[in-house]
Amino acid sequence: MHIRTLLLLACAVCHSALAADAAPGAGKAPPPIADFFGNPEFTGAILSPSGKYLAVRVGAKEKRDRLAVVELGANTVKVVGNFSDADIGDFQWVNDNRLAFTAADRDLAQGDLRYAPGLYAINRDGSGFRQLAMRNGTPFITSSQGGLPPRELLPWHTYMLSQRGPQDSDYMYVLDKSFSGPGQLNYVNLERLNTVTGRIASSVPRPGDSMVWMLDNKGEPRLTETRKDNVSTIYYRDPANNEWRKLIGFDTYTGSKEAFSPLAFGPDGTLYVVTRKHSDTSAVHTYDFATNTISDKPLVNLQGFDFSGRLIMDQNKLLGVRYLTDAQGTVWFDPAMKAMQADIDAKLPNTVNLLTPPSRPEAPWVLVTAFADIWPSRTLLYNRDTKALTAIGATHPAINPNQMAPKSLVRYKARDGLDIPAWLTLPRGPGKNLPMVVLVHGGPYVRGGRWDWDADAQFLASRGYAVLEPEFRGSTGYGYAHFRAGWKQWGLKMQDDIADGTRWAIAQGVADAKRVCIAGASYGGYATLMGLINDPDLYKCGVEWAGVTDINLLRDGSWFYVSDMSDAWKQYGMPQLVGDPVQDAEQLKATSPLLQAARIKQPLLLAYGGSDMRVPLPHGTRFYNAIKETNPNVEWIEYPEEGHGWALPKNRIDFWGRVEKFLDKNIGAQ
């Protein structure tokens, strides 16, 4: 029986359809909201170290996500992990026979969550099940496998290390995190765990309050990053004596020209780091432990972009580098992998195709992730011997790419001459004088978008709206100068960048000047409100969810709610990047939407989660109480169980249905 049939996966198209050109004419009815905002139907696949087995997380309607193992040569499948009261969360191979996994719950939002993820292990044939760590401090097993009776379980604050270990024994490294409150992480211990006995074999000594750990390519703990106040320090564990040696210290929040971020150890022990020491954009360099210096020549340098990505290695050599520019891609150093990429790209010419080989290949299988701006992610298997592709699963199989909208990276000049990247998604059909939604990303000190399928923008485009997503100053990924230019510019130059992008789209003939709405979540919600205040003639309406309404409220909060922002960020990060509560007091008042609510006259849709710990509910309720006195065109939505964003499909579908009606009423496509 075929793998797809055995797994009961809803893969709508096979690889031949993936390779087909997107044909015009897909019907007039737009796709249902649930096609965009339902939970993904296929959410993960990992090859075993040998490449002989494939672990997959399998979802189905009205059923919990399960963990299954496919024996690829025989095309047999066995469900090995499932809970009666939870879904499978993260999972990874411990070795070629054994897996570790956690629990999750896709039916609960933040306000209803009552347990930590726990930790479990099982053999690929379903035997040897053991619970390793508690959920919510309670030692119980709810997996249908039953398994061995629990011994003294590890505490609930035990987590999997996402980095791949040696995968040659029943041992794995886990993280024991010490918390003093929500968002208050004190330090992280690294422990070596026997996944069969459930016992900790050893703990790695810390040189300070470690927050990040890194293993070398043999699976030995080799680097750690400690933090104290606003200083991060990177230490190296010398294999000659297993003693920690300081490599560098730098400001956690602003960095320095000499700072670097460890990327990975190569098979020969070479440390690869990401640094901007030699240019405005960060690049991959090697680090010399003998001289404590970074190489002058980069291994990978992405013109106009900071490096974001990872090394791809097997147990013997560096095969290639995965990177992100406008889209993800791979540069291969290994000739065989380069030839394999070319063959797969020829078979799938309309998608970005990311190849993931096993670490110790003993079988011909390679995992392929294929996607595009109009194609949600799909997972396939490639056989390097037969050169055949087999479709395994799709995240959103109901999405028809012929109904999706092309997305491109554009650039425009801000009023002070700064170059601003932005993502422009245009609905199919005539692309001139369209109603437009300016969608502002959160963070704000993150990268907003990339060239791939995005549910928010594609949903809006499917309803006839152009979507502009500016990477305003302060956004990361486009060089340090671009990031640095956004410090202390909330509501000021950051806001001007968004307005300048809107005016650019109007001048280009993309947007109808009379039908532009601004929208966003978190910081994007703040920018939505400030956009309505600063540029009332530019934006005809606003949609904001989980938005900050006052910077001082974000920092100080109040006695009746708890924030998950760390004290260190509020004490050291916010004064430098957002604003000092004393020195910048007048600026923070002038850029407070809460204090200027009466200036907003345009129609506004507000939505908040009652259990949000990042931007707690009073941000919304206080602002709503202030604005409704002077503006009758304000709609209020509250999802009591939700946190910082909508975890539940029913709430995502409800919210975007309300957004659709709101936009149709105020700037609707005609």
Side-chain angles (χ1 to χ4, degrees):
M1 189 177 293
H2 199 279
I3 293 174
R4 284 170 288 173
T5 305
L6 288 166
L7 292 179
L8 301 176
L9 298 177
C11 184
V13 293
C14 65
H15 62 87
S16 60
L18 274 170
D21 289 325
K28 295 182 179 180
I33 300 175
D35 289 357
F36 296 90
F37 299 109
N39 282 335
E41 293 193 19
F42 183 86
T43 55
I46 306 175
L47 282 170
S48 70
S50 70
K52 296 179 179 180
Y53 308 95
L54 182 71
V56 295
R57 184 169 45 219
V58 184
K61 291 182 179 180
E62 309 303 327
K63 290 186 177 181
R64 294 289 190 176
D65 285 359
R66 297 158 290 158
L67 180 64
V69 174
V70 184
E71 186 175 354
L72 295 174
N75 273 7
T76 59
V77 178
K78 183 175 182 61
V79 174
V80 299
N82 62 284
F83 296 95
S84 60
D85 64 342
D87 300 290
I88 296 294
D90 295 328
F91 62 99
Q92 62 180 247
W93 289 94
V94 178
N95 54 52
D96 221 48
N97 179 60
R98 194 157 177 80
L99 296 114
F101 57 95
T102 66
D105 199 328
R106 300 203 304 177
D107 291 337
L108 295 180
Q110 180 170 315
D112 294 327
L113 289 177
R114 295 292 181 267
Y115 59 80
L119 185 60
Y120 307 82
I122 199 166
N123 294 333
R124 68 168 188 261
D125 63 1
S127 65
F129 173 81
R130 179 177 287 283
Q131 183 176 2
L132 303 169
M134 301 179 186
R135 284 200 285 167
N136 197 34
T138 303
F140 64 93
I141 295 177
T142 57
S143 172
S144 63
Q145 279 74 30
L148 300 172
R151 307 174 67 93
E152 294 181 3
L153 297 179
L154 299 176
W156 65 266
H157 43 81
T158 303
Y159 297 85
M160 283 199 305
L161 178 68
S162 59
Q163 186 183 353
R164 187 176 69 197
Q167 297 180 310
D168 58 2
S169 72
D170 291 325
Y171 289 86
M172 65 182 295
Y173 279 101
V174 295
L175 304 174
D176 176 29
K177 299 185 178 183
S178 171
F179 296 96
S180 56
Q184 310 302 322
L185 179 60
N186 303 319
Y187 56 83
V188 180
N189 287 321
L190 183 66
E191 299 178 326
R192 188 168 182 256
L193 169 67
N194 186 312
T195 62
V196 173
T197 67
R199 295 187 181 279
I200 295 294
S202 61
S203 295
V204 182
R206 292 183 283 107
D209 291 338
S210 293
M211 297 294 177
V212 180
W213 295 87
M214 178 175 286
L215 310 180
D216 63 20
N217 199 54
K218 297 179 181 178
E220 292 296 321
R222 196 60 63 204
L223 282 181
T224 188
E225 180 182 321
T226 66
R227 291 178 192 168
K228 182 176 177 58
D229 298 330
N230 64 323
V231 176
S232 292
T233 306
I234 296 176
Y235 290 90
Y236 171 64
R237 194 179 187 216
D238 196 321
N241 54 22
N242 280 335
E243 297 294 326
W244 290 107
R245 172 159 61 94
K246 178 181 175 180
L247 300 183
I248 192 172
F250 52 89
D251 188 289
T252 301
Y253 303 103
T254 62
S256 72
K257 194 68 175 175
E258 302 300 318
F260 63 83
S261 175
L263 182 61
F265 283 90
D268 61 354
T270 299
L271 174 63
Y272 297 88
V273 301
V274 178
T275 180
R276 59 178 182 86
K277 181 177 181 179
H278 300 295
S279 66
D280 178 63
T281 54
S282 61
V284 179
H285 292 254
T286 58
Y287 188 89
D288 188 329
F289 289 111
T291 60
N292 284 348
T293 58
I294 296 170
S295 64
D296 291 331
K297 185 178 180 181
L299 176 71
V300 177
N301 184 26
L302 307 174
Q303 187 66 35
F305 296 90
D306 291 313
F307 178 83
S308 176
R310 65 181 181 88
L311 303 183
I312 304 175
M313 299 175 284
D314 62 20
Q315 60 182 343
N316 299 314
K317 61 182 178 180
L318 176 63
L319 301 174
V321 179
R322 179 74 34 81
Y323 62 84
L324 173 64
T325 52
D326 55 341
Q328 283 187 290
T330 311
V331 56
W332 293 109
F333 307 130
D334 180 74
M337 291 302 302
K338 189 174 182 179
M340 192 184 304
Q341 181 79 58
D343 183 53
I344 292 171
D345 287 345
K347 290 179 167 66
L348 305 175
N350 297 313
T351 52
V352 171
N353 308 303
L354 305 178
L355 281 57
T356 304
S359 59
R360 296 191 294 272
E362 300 173 12
W365 306 100
V366 172
L367 206 61
V368 180
T369 302
F371 65 89
D373 54 348
I374 60 174
W375 284 101
S377 176
R378 282 166 163 75
T379 301
L380 306 94
L381 277 171
Y382 177 80
N383 187 308
R384 65 171 182 259
D385 293 340
T386 66
K387 302 189 185 309
L389 277 166
T390 303
I392 298 299
T395 57
H396 295 82
I399 290 293
N400 180 352
N402 298 327
Q403 293 181 296
M404 297 296 102
K407 177 181 184 178
S408 59
L409 181 63
V410 299
R411 295 181 182 270
Y412 61 86
K413 292 292 184 181
R415 63 192 68 181
D416 63 358
L418 187 67
D419 188 61
I420 307 295
W423 300 97
L424 182 63
T425 303
L426 295 177
R428 292 181 180 270
K432 292 293 184 179
N433 298 316
L434 298 168
M436 185 174 76
V437 176
V438 182
L439 193 58
V440 187
H441 72 72
Y445 305 114
V446 298
R447 175 167 167 164
R450 62 179 64 186
W451 191 83
D452 62 5
W453 185 86
D454 175 76
D456 295 2
Q458 288 294 339
F459 171 73
L460 292 169
S462 76
R463 269 54 184 173
Y465 299 100
V467 182
L468 181 70
E469 301 173 83
E471 299 277 14
F472 47 83
R473 70 190 69 201
S475 302
T476 59
Y478 302 93
Y480 188 79
H482 192 81
F483 165 56
R484 177 68 178 82
W487 294 5
K488 293 189 177 183
Q489 292 301 312
W490 285 45
L492 301 173
K493 290 183 179 180
M494 292 166 75
Q495 200 67 46
D496 292 343
D497 292 347
I498 299 166
D500 292 344
T502 306
R503 293 188 175 95
W504 170 86
I506 294 171
Q508 295 293 311
V510 170
D512 180 347
K514 298 179 180 180
R515 294 189 293 162
V516 179
C517 187
I518 185 169
S522 195
Y523 171 83
Y526 168 89
T528 294
L529 299 177
M530 288 305 302
L532 297 175
I533 292 168
N534 289 358
D535 297 285
D537 296 330
L538 191 60
Y539 304 113
K540 306 309 175 187
C541 60
V543 178
E544 77 98 330
W545 60 109
V548 175
T549 62
D550 183 85
I551 295 171
N552 286 325
L553 183 61
L554 185 67
R555 176 190 290 105
D556 301 331
S558 59
W559 67 269
F560 55 84
Y561 70 77
V562 178
S563 170
D564 67 356
M565 290 202 311
S566 72
D567 290 340
W569 162 247
K570 289 188 282 188
Q571 182 176 355
Y572 301 108
M574 286 188 70
Q576 296 185 83
L577 274 65
V578 183
D580 186 278
V582 177
Q583 298 177 9
D584 304 311
E586 292 304 313
Q587 175 181 319
L588 298 183
K589 289 181 181 178
T591 55
S592 167
L594 180 60
L595 298 181
Q596 302 177 80
R599 293 177 57 187
I600 298 179
K601 305 301 181 183
Q602 304 97 313
L604 178 62
L605 177 64
L606 302 169
Y608 284 83
S611 300
D612 193 341
M613 297 178 67
R614 179 59 51 87
V615 180
L617 185 61
H619 279 268
T621 53
R622 291 186 183 187
F623 185 83
Y624 179 57
N625 290 333
I627 194 173
K628 69 180 182 180
E629 299 296 326
T630 56
N631 189 339
N633 296 316
V634 179
E635 300 180 30
W636 171 261
I637 310 169
E638 180 181 341
Y639 300 113
E641 72 276 28
E642 291 284 10
H644 197 56
W646 320 141
L648 300 182
K650 67 174 185 178
N651 291 335
R652 293 197 295 267
I653 294 167
D654 176 79
F655 172 73
W656 285 101
R658 292 171 185 252
V659 170
E660 180 177 10
K661 292 177 182 177
F662 177 85
L663 293 176
D664 185 61
K665 177 181 177 181
N666 290 288
I667 61 166
Q670 297 177 357

